[in-house]
Amino acid sequence: MDTYNCIKKTSQVKTYLSKDVKHRDIAKILDAAHYAPSSGNIQNWRFIVIRNQETKEKIARVCLDQLWMQEAPAVIVVCSDSSNIKSLYQKKWKKYSKENCAAAAQNLTLQATELGLSSCWIRTFNELRLKNVLKIPDEISVEAVITIGYSNEKPKEQRHKLEELTFFESYGSRKRDTSMFPLAKHLAKFRK
Ligand SMILES: Cc1cc2nc3c(=O)[nH]c(=O)nc-3n(C[C@H](O)[C@H](O)[C@H](O)COP(=O)(O)O)c2cc1C
């Protein structure tokens, strides 16, 4: 699958089949995640892989009762150990550590798609309770909870029109350069 189609196919999926996910697929997903870029190459992301049913149920509850989550065969929690980033960027460490983890989470979901798996990125959780369930130390923050599994759910592909999101040369400028706009004409060959 090429990158463009992998990105387009990566939809947030909330129904999973009972088919298990192989350890080697989880390993590849984590490997892809840890190749994300990070400010100062600090690599502050940390991952927790959860397979245990009881733990998944607890996680679903602390994610404000998103009970569908417990059906996913695997859950990966992306945490941030910000101790090094804090000393490198005294003012912006919080923002950077979140951005780094988001880049890792996106790599993770794309790699899952490439392996034929589905995923959902979840940010709605009670962090204190989640840290308690997973024994996460106080100084570590939770940045994302990602469900992984096989699914028959189809990607939704609902997006705003690219033309409405894109400006030319300066913010807000909709001046049309006919060699570039409409963008759709350049995309036609990819969007088969
Ligand atoms: C940072 C972030 C947090 C999200 N949190 C949740 C969540 O808590 N629960 C949920 O069901 N979906 C969550 N989502 C999924 C979004 O709702 C989803 O990406 C959006 O509706 C677009 O759907 P699509 O990616 O399938 O096209 C989250 C996505 C992101 C990027």
Side-chain angles (χ1 to χ4, degrees):
M1 195 185 310
D2 64 28
T3 309
Y4 179 73
N5 279 301
C6 189
I7 290 167
K8 279 189 79 179
K9 212 174 163 204
T10 303
S11 178
Q12 313 305 308
V13 159
K14 299 175 193 177
T15 51
Y16 293 97
L17 306 174
S18 55
K19 184 178 171 185
D20 209 0
V21 179
K22 293 186 188 80
H23 287 314
R24 73 156 190 253
D25 286 349
I26 296 286
K28 191 168 183 191
I29 286 169
L30 294 172
D31 193 40
H34 100 302
Y35 275 106
S38 61
S39 40
N41 197 22
I42 218 98
Q43 303 172 47
N44 53 299
W45 42 68
R46 303 290 180 268
F47 307 107
I48 310 173
V49 179
I50 299 114
R51 301 264 207 181
N52 179 277
Q53 191 56 35
E54 213 178 301
T55 313
K56 284 189 293 169
E57 282 170 28
K58 285 183 188 163
I59 292 175
R61 279 199 291 277
V62 299
C63 288
L64 309 195
D65 286 328
Q66 299 191 67
L67 300 180
W68 57 269
M69 290 177 66
Q70 58 194 317
E71 306 302 331
V75 173
I76 299 177
V77 176
V78 182
C79 301
S80 175
D81 178 345
S82 302
S83 42
N84 291 334
I85 207 166
K86 239 182 220 176
S87 44
L88 195 59
Y89 305 104
Q90 284 94 358
K91 282 194 180 145
K92 297 203 169 158
W93 67 270
K94 230 178 213 168
K95 184 174 152 65
Y96 289 172
S97 62
K98 286 187 186 305
E99 287 167 350
N100 299 342
C101 286
Q106 177 70 349
N107 274 12
L108 195 156
T109 58
L110 291 176
Q111 184 58 65
T113 303
E114 202 263 338
L115 290 166
L117 290 155
S118 295
S119 59
C120 188
W121 181 332
I122 295 125
R123 192 64 179 88
T124 311
F125 48 76
N126 179 315
E127 188 170 2
L128 266 183
R129 285 174 63 203
L130 186 54
K131 286 170 85 163
N132 194 31
V133 170
L134 299 174
K135 302 185 172 51
I136 298 171
D138 286 349
E139 65 279 14
I140 306 295
S141 62
V142 184
E143 300 302 334
V145 177
I146 300 171
T147 51
I148 309 274
Y150 291 94
S151 179
N152 289 331
E153 214 177 296
K154 297 272 170 282
K156 293 170 274 300
E157 290 190 23
Q158 296 156 332
R159 288 296 183 266
H160 299 307
K161 283 205 176 82
L162 188 54
E163 304 287 343
E164 288 163 13
L165 309 172
T166 310
F167 306 119
F168 195 64
E169 302 294 353
S170 62
Y171 194 90
S173 166
R174 295 203 185 275
K175 192 184 83 181
R176 294 288 157 121
D177 172 335
T178 51
S179 64
M180 184 170 177
F181 291 99
L183 294 169
K185 79 181 172 195
H186 302 287
L187 295 173
K189 70 173 178 174
F190 304 113
R191 289 181 174 166
K192 282 177 197 146

